[in-house]
């Protein structure tokens, strides 16, 4: 038998990183002294509210927080999450059994197939979508099955198009509303159909909901457990990253059906050793502080969305500002594919946007832009876009 030092085969099965080419170009431009404005990444530019930072500072100085934390999170944190969920959605969650804090929701999302899916089982994943749904399935040796999201279906998957044999082999379905990258939202009727489908086929319904609070003009996205019967098959993944501008802090949670939450907890005891307790106290402060700050962030995003829609519409697009998320998802002009269009915008006006195909083959023909750049930078970017020659 011959053997060489090399990467594992499972890494080779992960789709190539399609942003690599664009990233290389951005670095080149920056080196050449060009002022590139990045609207590529969904990472809030607004700071974490001060009261949350203050609690972290105090908690970090307390030796009681310096030791290994509990694997399952502080009881106070699980209670704060249950309280937040109840105030937000009117739904009861048992803090002892139905909630598990995670190191950001990516931790829960990437690991859930290892806990719930066997090799060669099917994981249903939306495309375009957050790429971790597919890579997490591949890491677990499972087979991702793509559910295309299309404009004509309002970016909701067509559940009736899932072949019967695929549904039979599927153990897990990913949904994500409000959606990254399309900014689409799901109505009650669709979520009810999804719950019914997953109950009928005995599939775990995993709803990734980091944008549940990033919504505008009074729109309030539904959380999964507002749908009757959802807890019998469902898990929901939440994050403090987007709601409280805490992407760097790494804290979120998974909640839902108790035996499934427990299995994820069991897996995670073998992977990490919990969340720095000072960060947990800061999260408790965040969740108990009301919605005022998040509302203020949303007003900033809504204003920026109007600026972007106004700019794009003035140069030939026909888009509406979205009802939720800090993303703009728009078609590329005729004659371009998404990578060529993103390169063109970067070359011509030094603005970095994300080609839709980076979120999966069905994202081709679109681009994503994030309004998480400071106002002055976004205004400058939009001024440059007005000069774009197609
Ligand atoms: C940002 C994001 C997450 C992950 O956020 P964390 O920082 O890991 O909590 C998960 N899913 C989607 C769709 C996202 O956009």
């Amino acid at each position: 038998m011959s053997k060489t030092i090399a990467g594992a085969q499972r890494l080779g099965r992960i789709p190539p990183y399609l942003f690599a080419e664009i990233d290389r170009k951005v670095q080149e431009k920056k080196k050449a002294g060009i002022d590139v404005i990045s609207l590529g990444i969904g990472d809030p530019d607004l700071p974490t509210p001060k009261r949350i930072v203050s609690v972290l500072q105090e908690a970090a100085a307390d030796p009681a927080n310096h030791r290994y934390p509990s694997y399952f999170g502080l009881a106070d944190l699980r209670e704060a999450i249950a309280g937040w969920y109840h105030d937000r959605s009117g739904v009861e969650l048992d803090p002892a059994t139905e909630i598990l804090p995670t190191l950001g929701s990516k931790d829960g999302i990437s690991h859930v197939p290892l806990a719930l899916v066997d090799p060669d089982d099917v994981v249903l994943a939306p495309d375009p979508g957050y790429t971790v749904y597919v890579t997490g399935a591949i890491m677990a040796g499972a087979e991702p099955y793509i559910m295309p999201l299309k404009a004509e279906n309002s970016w909701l998957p067509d559940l009736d198009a899932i072949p019967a044999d695929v549904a039979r082999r599927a153990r897990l379905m990913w949904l994500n509303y409000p959606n990254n990258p399309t900014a689409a939202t799901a109505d009650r009727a669709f979520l009810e159909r999804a719950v019914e489908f997953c109950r009928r086929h005995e599939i775990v319904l995993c709803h990734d909901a980091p944008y549940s609070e990033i919504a505008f003009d009074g729109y309030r996205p539904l959380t999964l457990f507002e749908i009757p019967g959802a807890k019998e098959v469902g898990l929901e993944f939440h994050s403090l990253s987007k709601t409280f501008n805490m992407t760097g802090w790494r804290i979120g949670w998974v909640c839902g059906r108790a035996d499934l939450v427990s299995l994820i907890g069991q897996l995670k005891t073998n992977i990490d050793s919990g969340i720095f307790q000072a960060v947990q106290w800061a999260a408790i402060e965040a969740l108990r502080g009301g919605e005022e700050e998040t509302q203020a962030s949303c007003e900033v995003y809504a204003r920026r969305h109007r600026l972007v829609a106004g700019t794009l519409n003035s140069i030939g697009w026909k888009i509406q500002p979205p009802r939720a998320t800090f993303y703009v998802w728009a078609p590329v002009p005729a004659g371009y594919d998404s990578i060529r269009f993103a390169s063109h915008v970067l070359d011509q006006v030094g603005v970095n946007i994300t080609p839709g195909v980076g979120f999966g083959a069905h994202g081709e023909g679109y681009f994503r832009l994030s309004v998480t750049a400071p106002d002055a930078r976004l205004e400058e970017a939009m001024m440059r876009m007005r000069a774009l020659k197609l």
Side-chain angles (χ1 to χ4, degrees):
M1 189 191 100
S2 79
K3 175 183 90 169
T4 54
I5 294 175
Q9 287 174 15
R10 75 176 68 81
L11 278 180
R13 281 194 290 270
I14 289 179
Y17 185 60
L18 281 160
F19 308 130
E21 163 75 10
I22 304 265
D23 274 356
R24 193 183 50 72
K25 273 192 140 172
V26 169
Q27 293 319 318
E28 252 172 39
K29 302 245 174 231
K30 285 188 176 162
K31 242 191 241 152
I34 294 167
D35 174 32
V36 175
I37 302 176
S38 178
L39 306 179
I41 302 170
D43 185 357
D45 60 300
L46 304 167
T48 307
K50 280 214 173 60
R51 62 182 175 92
I52 301 172
V53 177
S54 300
V55 168
L56 175 77
Q57 284 170 324
E58 248 174 66
D62 181 353
N65 294 324
H66 294 174
R67 309 186 70 193
Y68 282 121
S70 153
Y71 286 113
F72 307 111
L74 288 163
D76 293 78
L77 175 57
R78 282 182 272 109
E79 275 158 28
I81 292 168
W84 179 90
Y85 206 100
H86 182 263
D87 291 348
R88 160 70 176 75
S89 301
V91 171
E92 302 283 347
L93 291 171
D94 177 0
T97 61
E98 295 181 328
I99 294 169
L100 178 70
T102 56
L103 292 147
S105 59
K106 190 176 188 178
D107 166 27
I109 293 163
S110 61
H111 287 128
V112 67
L114 282 177
L116 302 184
V117 176
D118 288 306
D120 301 323
D121 289 342
V122 166
V123 170
L124 302 166
D127 176 336
Y130 187 59
T131 50
V132 183
Y133 311 139
V134 168
T135 54
I138 291 171
M139 294 288 201
E143 185 184 313
Y145 180 88
I146 294 307
M147 300 186 292
L149 305 186
K150 297 177 184 168
E152 65 259 35
N153 296 328
S154 312
W155 307 105
L156 301 169
D158 179 1
L159 303 176
D160 297 327
I162 299 169
D165 63 312
V166 172
R168 206 173 310 117
R169 290 174 54 215
R171 301 281 299 274
L172 201 151
M173 173 191 286
W174 283 108
L175 292 177
N176 162 224
Y177 294 98
N179 185 259
N180 174 11
T182 67
T185 57
D187 59 9
R188 181 177 286 278
F190 171 75
L191 290 174
E192 283 174 355
R193 280 204 304 283
V195 166
E196 192 276 326
F197 182 91
C198 288
R199 289 178 64 165
R200 179 152 39 95
H201 294 286
E202 300 197 77
I203 295 169
V204 178
L205 177 52
C206 288
H207 187 227
D208 182 20
Y211 300 100
S212 63
E213 310 314 300
I214 310 299
F216 317 118
D217 302 324
Y219 171 61
R220 176 136 267 216
L222 279 166
T223 48
L224 183 62
F225 303 118
E226 289 171 70
I227 305 301
K231 226 194 261 176
E232 287 168 40
V233 287
L235 290 172
E236 193 164 56
F237 297 76
H238 282 271
S239 174
L240 279 78
S241 288
K242 318 287 164 57
T243 307
F244 299 102
N245 307 327
M246 290 172 69
T247 49
W249 298 55
R250 312 314 305 136
I251 188 157
W253 73 87
V254 52
C255 55
R257 185 169 142 160
D259 57 337
L260 304 180
V261 168
S262 165
L263 290 164
I264 299 168
Q266 185 192 336
L267 174 84
K268 274 172 51 61
T269 59
N270 294 288
I271 292 177
D272 63 72
S273 296
I275 305 158
F276 181 29
Q277 241 170 238
V279 170
Q280 296 192 50
W281 287 114
I284 292 166
E285 171 64 29
L287 292 164
R288 290 192 172 148
E291 345 186 297
E292 223 169 276
E293 295 141 336
T294 307
Q295 280 307 319
S297 298
C298 286
E299 270 161 41
V300 171
Y301 297 140
R303 174 162 48 71
R304 292 176 181 173
H305 272 308
R306 287 193 293 271
L307 169 68
V308 172
T311 303
L312 291 181
N313 289 346
S314 77
I315 54 172
W317 270 266
K318 285 199 187 80
I319 60 166
Q320 292 286 329
R323 287 211 293 172
T325 81
F326 40 59
Y327 300 114
V328 175
W329 179 251
V332 302
Y336 289 93
D337 66 24
S338 65
I339 290 185
R340 275 197 51 233
F341 181 64
S343 301
H344 180 74
V345 173
L346 181 61
D347 284 338
Q348 269 225 345
V349 297
V351 174
N352 183 24
I353 56 173
T354 307
V357 76
F359 303 99
H362 295 272
E364 186 49 272
Y366 286 81
F367 68 92
R368 190 193 77 176
L369 172 163
S370 173
V371 299
T372 53
D375 286 341
R377 295 294 280 167
L378 189 69
E379 282 161 21
E380 162 76 19
M382 290 304 111
M383 231 156 66
R384 295 186 192 180
M385 288 296 277
R386 284 175 196 272
L388 186 72
K389 289 194 186 54
L390 297 175

